[in-house]
Amino acid sequence: MPSRPRILLSRRWPEQVEALLEEGYEVARNVPDRPMSAADMREALRTVDAFCPTVTDRVDAGVLGASSRKARIIANYGVGFEHIDLAAARRAGIVVTNTPDVLTDCTADLALALILSTARGVVRGDRLVRAGDWAGWSPASIYGNRVSGKALGLVGFGRIARAVARRAVHGFSMRVLVYTPRPPGDEQARSLGVEICASLDELLARSVVVSLHCPVTPETAGIIGRAQLARMRRGAILINTARGALVDENALTEALLSGRLAGAGLDVYAHEPEVPEALRQMDQVVLLPHLGSATVETREAMGMRVKKNLDRFFAGREPPDRVA
Ligand code: 8YV
């Protein structure tokens, strides 16, 4: 009987998925469940047939170019793959896959959760009650801002942004504006209930809530900097469930301190797990620890999607979610 392919999971996955993988693979685990060092990854690629990293592992050219490498596929547990050097993978003849679709709804749900909790003071209110500082109902305590019917600007319009748009249009009667370099045609935009903005500046100037939904690429890194924040409406809020590197965190801090922005809801940061101290001090900011896909259903589905890619690859077929 041919030996089972040896795969390495860089972090611990849902138990059920790990058990299913055991049926077809020899599964190695990174037992400490901490981000792997470049040296550990290089060593791993010499001994396993497949490496399954996550966003916390920087799979760069140094790792992928390891000598006497055995691994032939990097099957990422996650949809974003900016932490993997695709050009280096291609040069080394390594296939790379990701896990699209399965985290769309949960990430969109979380974007809505951040919009609501930031605009309506949900976390601030919770802190007040827990601290025992609530003096009872009063007409003027913790004013939030209405969400229903307001203008929501989406930067990027992939799967997750479209799922946010559906929720915002149908659930909250929001006016949804979109900026993306490759916009859908007029008819499609109309059927989705969104309006396309010709430029990022236009979207920023018209939106009360701006939510980021593009991948980090050399073109989008720092797409929300000082100049863009200055174009946002006074009292607007910024939501980021995509990637921290899209935003200049110092400029965001200044915009919040100056009162130009009323708040921010962040799930991702430029240098995770570091979160700037100044942001942590602000009551008008909701800070989450990269929870976009963190539901039982989605984390299991992500694992199953990786398994599907591995199964196809080791059966000698094209994996469905190949990105390199
Ligand atoms: C994942 C994400 O949990 O899939 C992504 O790109 O940002 C997250 O929701 C994480 O990246 C796992 O690799």
Side-chain angles (χ1 to χ4, degrees), residues 8-299:
L8 170 65
L9 314 185
S10 80
R11 306 298 298 267
R12 296 311 302 269
W13 292 8
E15 261 174 46
Q16 238 178 306
V17 184
E18 288 194 5
L20 269 175
L21 282 169
E22 298 269 7
E23 290 173 12
Y25 299 91
E26 194 186 320
V27 182
R29 296 176 176 82
N30 170 26
V31 176
D33 194 26
R34 280 195 294 272
M36 291 181 68
S37 70
D40 287 347
M41 282 189 274
R42 266 197 303 275
E43 185 49 38
L45 294 195
R46 293 195 183 104
T47 56
V48 298
D49 300 291
F51 177 47
C52 306
T54 71
V55 71
T56 56
D57 308 298
R58 234 182 94 69
V59 189
D60 60 17
V63 170
L64 291 163
S67 58
S68 25
R69 180 181 40 77
K70 183 180 182 208
R72 291 185 294 133
I73 176 169
I74 306 286
N76 186 53
Y77 182 87
V79 68
F81 47 80
E82 75 291 339
H83 54 290
I84 303 171
D85 186 334
L86 295 192
R90 284 189 198 104
R91 278 198 303 276
I94 303 179
V95 168
V96 180
T97 59
N98 71 340
T99 62
D101 302 324
V102 291
L103 42 69
T104 300
D105 282 327
C106 284
T107 307
D109 290 349
L110 196 83
L112 263 299
L114 275 175
I115 293 171
L116 289 167
S117 53
T118 307
R120 296 296 309 275
V122 171
V123 179
R124 191 189 296 192
D126 178 85
R127 275 197 293 264
L128 183 87
V129 174
R130 279 172 201 278
D133 291 338
W134 186 38
W137 188 90
S138 96
S141 68
I142 307 196
Y143 278 151
N145 287 296
R146 181 185 165 105
V147 169
S148 293
K150 292 283 179 69
L152 167 65
L154 303 177
V155 180
F157 202 49
R159 287 175 288 255
I160 296 171
R162 285 167 196 243
V164 171
R166 279 196 298 278
R167 286 155 173 74
V169 169
H170 300 293
F172 295 92
S173 309
M174 296 183 90
R175 207 162 61 251
V176 177
L177 310 171
V178 169
Y179 170 71
T180 177
R182 282 175 298 280
D186 287 348
E187 207 171 304
Q188 204 191 352
R190 242 193 322 277
S191 77
L192 294 166
V194 304
E195 188 185 332
I196 304 298
C197 292
S199 66
L200 177 59
D201 281 358
E202 181 194 336
L203 176 129
L204 296 173
R206 292 178 59 195
S207 305
V208 175
V209 180
V210 172
S211 187
L212 307 181
H213 298 284
C214 47
V216 183
T217 63
E219 292 74 42
T220 62
I223 193 171
I224 302 295
R226 196 160 276 113
Q228 289 70 34
L229 291 161
R231 285 191 187 103
M232 286 175 68
R233 291 168 62 140
R234 180 160 290 281
I237 67 175
L238 179 72
I239 303 296
N240 191 3
T241 52
R243 283 293 183 266
L246 297 171
V247 178
D248 175 340
E249 288 176 343
N250 290 328
L252 174 62
T253 302
E254 285 166 23
L256 287 160
L257 285 174
S258 72
R260 163 136 225 116
L261 293 196
L266 308 175
D267 188 42
V268 287
Y269 308 89
H271 306 288
E272 295 178 10
E274 281 167 41
V275 178
E277 173 66 19
L279 290 176
R280 289 196 274 137
Q281 296 300 328
M282 288 182 210
D283 223 19
Q284 70 274 43
V285 177
V286 177
L287 302 168
L288 297 181
H290 202 143
L291 291 181
S293 62
T295 62
V296 179
E297 295 87 343
T298 287
R299 289 283 161 85

